[in-house]
Amino acid sequence: MAAPSHTIVTTSKAPGPYPALSQATVWNGMVFCSGSLGINPETGALVEGTIADRTTQALTNLATILEEAGSGRNKVLKVMIYVTSISDVPTLNEAYIAFFPEPRPARACVAVKELARGTDVEIECVGYI
C-alpha cells in the first residue's frame, strides 16, 4: 500500500514564502504552516507599529493560508511563536488572545537572537482539515 502523499498549499492572498519554503503542506488531514512574519501581503512590507500589530498580521496571514488548505483558525492545534525579546510577550499576548477564541490551541513561545527581515516575531502553526 502506498504511503499518503502530501500537498503543497500556495495562495497569493498571503505573503509568498522564501524560495526554499512552501506556505504550508497538507498531509493526512493535517496542515503544517511555515513561519509567518507580520508582512502586509499587498505591499510586501513589514507592518509598522508594535509587536502586537505584527503578531496580528502574521496570524492573519496564517489564517489565510489555513483557509486555502481547507482549514481555519478554529482548527489550529499548535502554535509556535519566536520572538527576539521575551519582554514583548505580554504585548504579543494581547493580539494572540484577540485572534484565538477559547479554547486556544497549545502553544510554545521562545526567544531567539534574530529573525528574518529584522522582525521581532515569527509564528508557525499546525492545524487540521
Side-chain angles (χ1 to χ4, degrees):
M1 183 164 119
S5 63
H6 69 280
T7 303
I8 301 300
V9 177
T10 303
T11 178
S12 60
K13 297 176 185 172
Y18 287 105
L21 307 174
S22 60
Q23 288 173 316
T25 301
V26 176
W27 181 79
N28 203 24
M30 302 294 292
V31 183
F32 300 87
C33 292
S34 292
S36 178
L37 306 180
I39 295 174
N40 179 320
E42 294 178 11
T43 65
L46 282 171
V47 171
E48 293 185 17
T50 68
I51 192 169
D53 299 317
R54 285 178 291 285
T55 297
T56 297
Q57 185 64 59
L59 290 169
T60 300
N61 294 340
L62 286 170
T64 300
I65 295 164
L66 287 163
E67 289 166 11
E68 183 69 23
S71 184
R73 74 170 83 177
N74 62 329
K75 295 180 177 180
V76 173
L77 300 172
K78 173 77 183 213
V79 176
M80 288 71 68
I81 302 175
Y82 307 93
V83 295
T84 56
S85 175
I86 205 73
S87 64
D88 285 337
V89 172
T91 305
L92 173 150
N93 281 340
E94 294 171 16
Y96 184 86
I97 289 168
F99 192 83
F100 283 114
E102 290 194 31
R104 292 185 186 88
R107 182 181 110 172
C109 184
V110 297
V112 297
K113 183 177 177 183
E114 60 186 329
L115 292 165
R117 296 191 60 175
T119 191
D120 49 3
V121 62
E122 181 172 350
I123 305 172
E124 62 179 276
C125 68
V126 177
Y128 64 94
I129 295 176

PDB file of all heavy atoms in Angstrom, residues 56 86 103 111:
ATOM      1  N   THR A  56      -0.666  40.299  14.888  1.00  0.00           N
ATOM      2  CA  THR A  56      -1.986  40.220  14.250  1.00  0.00           C
ATOM      3  C   THR A  56      -1.844  39.948  12.762  1.00  0.00           C
ATOM      4  O   THR A  56      -2.565  39.111  12.201  1.00  0.00           O
ATOM      5  CB  THR A  56      -2.777  41.515  14.490  1.00  0.00           C
ATOM      6  OG1 THR A  56      -2.992  41.665  15.899  1.00  0.00           O
ATOM      7  CG2 THR A  56      -4.116  41.492  13.777  1.00  0.00           C
ATOM      8  N   ILE A  86      11.848  38.425  24.951  1.00  0.00           N
ATOM      9  CA  ILE A  86      10.821  37.786  25.765  1.00  0.00           C
ATOM     10  C   ILE A  86       9.993  38.828  26.513  1.00  0.00           C
ATOM     11  O   ILE A  86       8.840  38.581  26.859  1.00  0.00           O
ATOM     12  CB  ILE A  86      11.448  36.731  26.710  1.00  0.00           C
ATOM     13  CG1 ILE A  86      10.420  35.663  27.094  1.00  0.00           C
ATOM     14  CG2 ILE A  86      12.075  37.360  27.921  1.00  0.00           C
ATOM     15  CD1 ILE A  86      10.088  34.707  26.000  1.00  0.00           C
ATOM     16  N   PRO A 103     -11.618  27.546  23.147  1.00  0.00           N
ATOM     17  CA  PRO A 103     -10.349  27.097  23.704  1.00  0.00           C
ATOM     18  C   PRO A 103      -9.209  27.384  22.732  1.00  0.00           C
ATOM     19  O   PRO A 103      -9.320  27.119  21.532  1.00  0.00           O
ATOM     20  CB  PRO A 103     -10.547  25.598  23.886  1.00  0.00           C
ATOM     21  CG  PRO A 103     -11.543  25.224  22.830  1.00  0.00           C
ATOM     22  CD  PRO A 103     -12.425  26.428  22.658  1.00  0.00           C
ATOM     23  N   ALA A 111      12.351  32.800  22.833  1.00  0.00           N
ATOM     24  CA  ALA A 111      13.137  33.955  22.419  1.00  0.00           C
ATOM     25  C   ALA A 111      14.316  33.463  21.581  1.00  0.00           C
ATOM     26  O   ALA A 111      14.953  32.460  21.911  1.00  0.00           O
ATOM     27  CB  ALA A 111      13.635  34.720  23.634  1.00  0.00           C
TER      28      ALA A 111
END
